[in-house]
Amino acid sequence: MPTGNLPPCKAAGSGLIHATSVPFNALRRIEFVYPLKLISSRPSSKCITVFLLSYGGGLVAGDSINLDIYVDPNTRLCLLTQGSTKIFKSPSPTTSQTVTTHLGTGSTFLLLPDPLQPHATSRYTQTQRFYIPNDNSANLLLLDWTTEGRSAMGEHWSLTDFKTCNEVYTIGEDGSVDGAELLLRDTLFLEGDDSAGDPLELHYRGGPLKSRMEGVTCLATLLIRGPLFKELADHCVELFKTEPRVGGRRGFDENEAQRERRRLSEGVVFTVAEVRGFVVVRVSGADVERVRVWVRGLIEQRGMTPPPEGKGVVEREFGRGVMMCLEG
Amino acid sequence: MSTSTATQSPIQLPPPSPSHLLSLLTDSALPLSTFAFSSGLESRLSHPPLQPPNHSSTATQSPTPKDPFTLPTFLNTTLYSTSTLAVPFLLATHDNPTRASELNAQYTAQLLCPVQARASLSQGRALRKIYNESILPLLPPDASGQLRPKLTVQEGWHIPIIWAYVCHCCGISRRDAAWGFLWGVAKGVVSAAVRLAVCGPFVGQRVLVEIGGAVEAGVERGIKWEAEKGIGGCGMSWWGGEVVGGRQEILYSRVFNS
């Protein structure tokens, strides 16, 4: 991970974060160009926190955000937001946001933003790329979530085009990105109705996007990896394994913990998968608050055997502050 | 007289034609449209759509609305989502079968639903066996006059990859390969629907008669996506299918593996 001669940011919407922990937690560089804005809070002994903002609280047509992040070995960086990212209507150019993160040996990166909110007729492409060392020492916790739009204004998946992509690559011994190997690629396309062209194509897709979403108004993916988050990853896997069987008897012989779990998962549907060293959690919710509460419960490791000190690993290691997007 | 000529020179059967092989590969008894997989249908039937939260707790409980599930819609959405991930990989493999292993590795990195991945791998394994045992011995030598070797792979190949590889070896065009794949998926879903009593066999056949246009549209879409976005730019397009399909694991009782 050569970070010595990184060029300064010049292009509109570009940014650079270089976090280090030697001799103490600090941002060696933090640069950004309008319309991107980065704010760092005073680094604590636990981690360095940076807020990713945009002017006006959202991205307008044609905005192109390009953020490069370097996390030095054994350094902990959290990237958060201060409210949902609105994606304003975009008649023609696609709005895009690309975040490329290079993780050093034993480093940790938390990406816990508020949800994306694609407005009607918006076009958006988000790419989040992570380069991790091939020794499985890096830790990653990523939340990628999206709502249907401004529900109160009658927007229910009324976007034109939406794509999010999370890619993780492992880099070799030399640390170069060229020979990096694709480990996981999580891509989601939501194709809006006006992109179909003719009604027949829309029919062949299985109907309008809103009806294809079948009552889901908020969706979330969590990617978890690394030794630091093993406790959380195990919790997720166990939670899914012990999920009440679908179609089986319910509410019979339940104990208090099971009742709490059932209350928590009302209005959400989730799956957990172990894929290539990751734990991938996917949650669908009938409304954003339910998803918020459920994801918070998951990260706090609730509903199963209580974690040490009654706090989940994220809270113990980073403090409650990093979960602000889940506070509601 | 005829007996003596027969013993002198044994009859050389002409190699099977690509269209003959394509109809064989899309047979219901073969792996792609086999009975063991429902492409998420079984799980979907146990998961009615989420209902909007009822904010006023005092309101009288309205009866749960009817699940809007219909088989043709489910089938269209299944074909749609297949055409945005599996079909582009299939086309890329068909274009360049020597890259099959590499493409398979990439496909593995993009298939995050373990239920789908497991089904896809076991279908791939079965097709490889059929190819090696039943199809390969009758195939003519390749362009350079070499007999094609048995297909042995260290890691498991997913069904779209091996499907494309086999179609390429059989002389089936990339378009026909994509068509056959989507048609097989459609037949698999309908046979699962009949098995799960979603519809009777006659209605099932009617759905298959109607699905022709959606299969063609899926082929077109797959070709377009592969050409415009490249395989790295393709991916999941049906969120609900991914989440609900993954919950096949925790169904109380199940008939199918996917």
Side-chain angles (χ1 to χ4, degrees), chain B residues 40-175:
Chain B
L41 174 66
E42 185 173 27
S43 186
R44 171 60 184 82
L45 294 173
S46 303
H47 289 92
L50 290 166
Q51 295 306 322
N54 199 348
H55 287 297
S56 103
S57 54
T58 52
T60 47
Q61 283 292 311
S62 56
T64 317
K66 197 173 169 290
D67 186 344
F69 173 88
T70 68
L71 181 59
T73 303
F74 180 86
L75 197 47
N76 279 336
T77 321
T78 304
L79 291 172
Y80 168 60
S81 71
T82 309
S83 74
T84 63
L85 181 61
V87 173
F89 271 89
L90 179 158
L91 294 166
T93 311
H94 190 283
D95 291 345
N96 203 342
T98 52
R99 282 183 65 206
S101 272
E102 176 201 329
L103 291 166
N104 189 62
Q106 245 194 82
Y107 190 67
T108 308
Q110 283 186 242
L111 206 57
L112 302 191
C113 172
V115 176
Q116 278 177 33
R118 199 176 52 216
S120 171
L121 281 172
S122 75
Q123 287 174 303
R125 233 178 356 256
L127 183 58
R128 179 162 65 92
K129 192 142 196 204
I130 290 161
Y131 172 73
N132 281 340
E133 303 297 325
S134 314
I135 300 175
L136 188 61
L138 288 169
L139 286 185
D142 66 9
S144 57
Q146 297 284 312
L147 277 178
R148 294 176 194 276
K150 273 202 176 187
L151 183 57
T152 51
V153 284
Q154 291 296 313
E155 80 284 29
W157 275 6
H158 287 279
I159 184 78
I161 307 292
I162 192 157
W163 177 271
Y165 182 92
V166 169
C167 285
H168 185 271
C169 294
C170 292
I172 297 166
S173 74
R174 74 198 294 264
R175 203 195 157 80

Side-chain angles (χ1 to χ4, degrees), chain A residues 87 115-122 124 144-164 188-195 202 205 207-220 283-288 291, chain B residues 50 237 239-240:
Chain A
I87 301 160
L116 295 168
Q117 191 193 56
H119 291 188
T121 72
S122 62
Y124 183 63
D144 179 11
W145 53 328
T146 304
T147 66
E148 62 174 353
R150 292 171 294 181
S151 317
M153 294 184 67
E155 290 181 353
H156 306 286
W157 303 113
S158 319
L159 53 97
T160 298
D161 207 29
F162 181 89
K163 178 194 174 188
T164 57
L188 171 67
F189 286 92
L190 300 175
E191 288 195 295
D193 302 344
D194 39 356
S195 74
L202 199 56
R205 285 181 191 172
L209 178 59
K210 183 188 174 221
S211 76
R212 291 206 300 277
M213 296 308 285
E214 300 203 299
V216 176
T217 69
C218 178
L219 52 89
V283 199
S284 293
D287 72 328
V288 61
V291 174
Chain B
L50 290 166
S237 56
W239 173 264

